[in-house]
């Protein structure tokens, strides 16, 4: 079968499965999620063997360290996937919920009901855990999902898909509700992007070039974020010990992810005391600083002069841009110019400064005295996430179960007609 025909068949089967799934009981969906958790825990060795094939091939092809990290399925990550299944199973089912109801003067009862989006397609790179996270969230929200992972993770993704299909079948739900594209041919992506008759929304996760290519070619709505350029602003009078831990965690814990810290802004009144602490602590962890002229002398031997391109750049590495600013206004102007609407944080003891930062800074997550690494569906209590949207329509930030539904108007009448 030609690839375009095969993808058309995938789309048709997904749409049929979505209709069945939209009417599935909460109990059936929860059973599938519970089944999957058990299978992930019981088949860990099978998953590891498939993942090892991908890791060996990726290493032979010279895949860079950040992508190798995202590709690796450790026992801890497998357990986290299983735990996410149970967390999502325990969440309230949003489908069919009436969020609000009001009465019109003519007696009509008007409300908003949560309903599935329908069929979602995911195009993503490296991370095979996305296969499970996306599958379970779409399942809970009553959506069918088509998953096209990167070629570097094909064996891992197919092994996980087999477990998902087994869990769905055990629960009496259609296996076509979660389909993993088995071919690594890029023509499959091109074909999927034209199936707007069957796919309601597409979500790309990966590098900026991938996302821009999807946006340019897709005939259906796209939920996306291009970059994760995350800033921390350390205010005058901030708790420096606390701020140091927040900056260290944001940059060092996992530098290759989209919610890692990329730029540090420090108030001039705080810089002489704080930046030497940053230079010592983060420098010892291997961080190199791309520093403005005012910050470089305070950061130690791993600081080099920043180029203009270092601000607004997503390093995906142990590299941090640093700039000294004279005010919160200057910090927020910098964020407005260089940020990517992803994650922005302020470290401060001043309540008014904190509230102003929350109100005025435009990002999918804005935080006070907390790490940028918390912009994650699991960390924010969503159970898991299918991705982080900086698109604003229809979702802004991590997308969990509720964000994978929409609302429709429902009207209850007693024979009213319009005059």
């Amino acid at each position: 079968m030609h690839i375009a025909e095969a993808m058309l068949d995938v789309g048709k089967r997904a749409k049929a499965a979505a209709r069945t799934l939209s009417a599935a009981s909460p109990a059936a969906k929860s059973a599938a999620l519970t089944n999957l958790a058990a299978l992930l825990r019981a088949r860990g060795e099978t998953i590891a063997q498939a993942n090892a094939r991908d890791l060996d091939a990726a290493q032979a092809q010279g895949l860079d360290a950040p992508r190798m990290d995202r590709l690796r399925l450790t026992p801890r990550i497998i357990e986290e996937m299983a735990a996410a299944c149970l967390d999502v199973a325990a969440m309230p089912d949003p489908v069919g919920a009436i969020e609000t109801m009001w009465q019109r003067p003519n007696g009509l009862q008007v409300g908003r009901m949560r309903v599935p989006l329908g069929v979602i397609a995911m195009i993503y790179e490296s991370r095979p855990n996305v296969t499970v996270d996306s599958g379970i969230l779409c399942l809970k929200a009553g959506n069918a999902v088509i998953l096209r992972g990167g070629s570097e993770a094909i064996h891992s993704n197919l092994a996980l898909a087999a477990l998902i299909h087994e869990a769905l079948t055990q629960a009496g739900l259609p296996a076509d509700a979660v389909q993993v594209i088995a071919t690594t041919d890029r023509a499959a992506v091109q074909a999927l992007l034209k199936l707007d008759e069957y796919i309601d929304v597409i979500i790309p996760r990966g590098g900026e070039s991938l996302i821009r290519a999807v946006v340019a070619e897709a005939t259906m709505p796209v939920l996306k974020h291009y970059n994760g350029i995350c800033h921390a602003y350390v205010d005058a009078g901030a708790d420096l010990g606390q701020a140091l831990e927040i900056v260290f965690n944001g940059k060092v814990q996992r530098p290759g992810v989209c919610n890692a810290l990329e730029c540090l802004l420090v108030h001039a009144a705080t810089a002489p005391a704080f930046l030497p602490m940053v230079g010592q602590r983060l420098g010892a962890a291997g961080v190199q600083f791309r520093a403005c002229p005012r910050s470089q002398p305070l950061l130690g031997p791993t600081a080099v002069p920043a180029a203009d391109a270092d601000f607004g750049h997503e390093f995906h590495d142990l590299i941090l841009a640093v700039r000294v600013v004279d005010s919160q206004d200057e910090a927020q102007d910098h964020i407005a110019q260089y940020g990517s609407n992803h994650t922005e944080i302020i470290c401060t003891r001043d309540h008014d400064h904190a509230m102003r930062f929350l109100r005025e800074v435009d990002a999918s997550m804005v935080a006070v005295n907390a790490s940028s690494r918390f912009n994650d569906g699991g960390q924010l209590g969503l159970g898991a996430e299918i991705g982080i949207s900086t698109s604003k329509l229809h979702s802004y930030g991590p997308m969990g179960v509720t964000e994978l539904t929409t609302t429709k108007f429902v009207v209850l009448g007693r024979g009213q007609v319009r005059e």
Side-chain angles (χ1 to χ4, degrees):
M1 185 184 294
H2 190 273
I3 285 179
E5 294 174 346
M7 294 304 101
L8 178 61
D9 181 62
V10 166
K12 289 179 176 179
R13 289 189 285 120
K15 189 166 185 176
R19 186 178 181 198
T20 300
L21 201 60
S22 68
S25 69
K29 291 187 284 185
S30 293
L33 295 169
T34 303
N35 294 343
L36 181 56
L39 289 168
L40 287 166
R41 287 168 171 163
R43 311 275 180 85
E45 184 58 34
T46 300
I47 298 168
Q49 289 173 0
N51 187 235
R53 293 180 65 186
D54 290 330
L55 289 169
D56 290 344
Q59 188 172 30
Q61 293 170 10
L63 202 70
D64 59 61
R67 286 196 291 171
M68 286 291 290
D69 177 57
R70 294 193 291 270
L71 178 59
R72 185 171 287 105
L73 288 176
T74 64
R76 176 181 174 182
I77 292 175
I78 294 171
E79 174 54 33
E80 287 174 351
M81 290 191 293
C85 293
L86 298 178
D87 287 344
V88 173
M91 295 174 67
D93 193 312
V95 179
I98 303 292
E99 291 197 335
T100 184
M101 182 73 73
W102 60 95
Q103 183 171 302
R104 300 291 296 142
N106 61 3
L108 282 179
Q109 296 287 332
V110 181
R112 285 182 177 272
M113 176 186 286
R114 286 246 154 237
V115 295
L117 292 174
V119 177
I120 296 170
M122 281 281 298
I123 298 173
Y124 53 105
E125 296 173 338
S126 296
R127 298 178 183 173
N129 60 299
V130 171
T131 302
V132 169
D133 286 351
S134 302
I136 64 178
L137 289 170
C138 288
L139 171 61
K140 183 76 172 188
N143 300 300
V145 64
I146 300 167
L147 299 168
R148 205 286 187 177
S151 58
E152 70 278 3
I154 185 65
H155 299 102
S156 304
N157 288 334
L158 291 176
L160 293 170
L163 300 186
I164 295 171
H165 291 162
E166 188 173 342
L168 286 165
T169 302
Q170 289 174 355
L173 296 175
D176 285 341
V178 180
Q179 297 182 68
V180 172
I181 302 302
T183 179
T184 60
D185 193 319
R186 293 184 179 181
V189 174
Q190 298 299 317
L192 286 173
L193 296 179
K194 306 305 179 185
L195 295 180
D196 53 297
E197 183 179 351
Y198 301 100
I199 297 172
D200 295 282
V201 63
I202 194 157
I203 304 175
R205 285 183 64 171
E208 183 177 357
S209 60
L210 166 70
I211 296 168
R212 291 196 180 278
V214 170
V215 170
E217 297 293 331
T219 56
M220 66 286 291
V222 181
L223 286 171
K224 82 274 184 193
H225 76 263
Y226 290 121
N227 292 300
I229 301 166
C230 309
H231 297 81
Y233 166 55
V234 180
D235 197 16
D239 182 326
L240 299 190
Q242 181 184 85
L244 182 62
E245 293 303 319
I246 289 169
V247 171
F248 183 87
N249 181 255
K251 180 73 265 185
V252 175
Q253 189 209 31
R254 202 170 179 193
V257 295
C258 63
N259 56 16
L261 199 62
E262 302 294 3
C263 183
L264 173 63
L265 305 171
V266 183
H267 194 285
T270 300
F274 185 60
L275 287 179
M277 298 165 60
V278 171
Q280 182 176 6
R281 179 79 186 279
L282 275 70
V287 176
Q288 181 188 98
F289 304 102
R290 306 285 174 85
C292 74
R294 298 166 74 184
S295 62
Q296 185 180 354
L298 301 170
L299 285 165
T302 63
V304 299
D308 290 342
D310 290 326
F311 297 108
H313 185 74
E314 190 173 18
F315 295 107
H316 287 306
D317 203 351
L318 289 173
I319 301 171
L320 183 66
V322 183
R323 180 183 173 189
V324 174
V325 295
D326 290 315
S327 65
Q328 183 171 342
D329 284 335
E330 189 177 350
Q332 292 186 190
D333 287 346
H334 180 102
I335 290 169
Q337 180 177 356
Y338 295 106
S340 61
N341 302 104
H342 195 288
T343 308
E344 309 294 353
I345 66 174
I346 183 173
C347 298
T348 186
R349 285 184 168 128
D350 189 301
H351 176 77
D352 290 340
H353 290 185
M355 293 304 102
R356 181 190 169 201
F357 196 86
L358 291 180
R359 287 193 308 270
E360 297 181 7
V361 172
D362 187 6
S364 75
M365 189 190 89
V366 184
V368 177
N369 297 327
S371 172
S372 63
R373 293 281 289 116
F374 285 113
N375 195 1
D376 171 270
Q379 294 295 316
L380 296 178
L382 306 184
E385 70 176 40
I386 200 167
I388 294 176
S389 170
T390 60
S391 306
K392 298 187 182 179
L393 293 177
H394 83 143
S395 180
Y396 198 24
M399 296 179 61
V401 172
T402 302
E403 290 74 25
L404 290 173
T405 61
T406 187
T407 59
K408 67 180 178 184
F409 284 96
V410 292
V411 178
L412 304 177
R414 301 189 306 276
Q416 290 95 330
V417 295
R418 184 170 175 176
E419 295 180 0

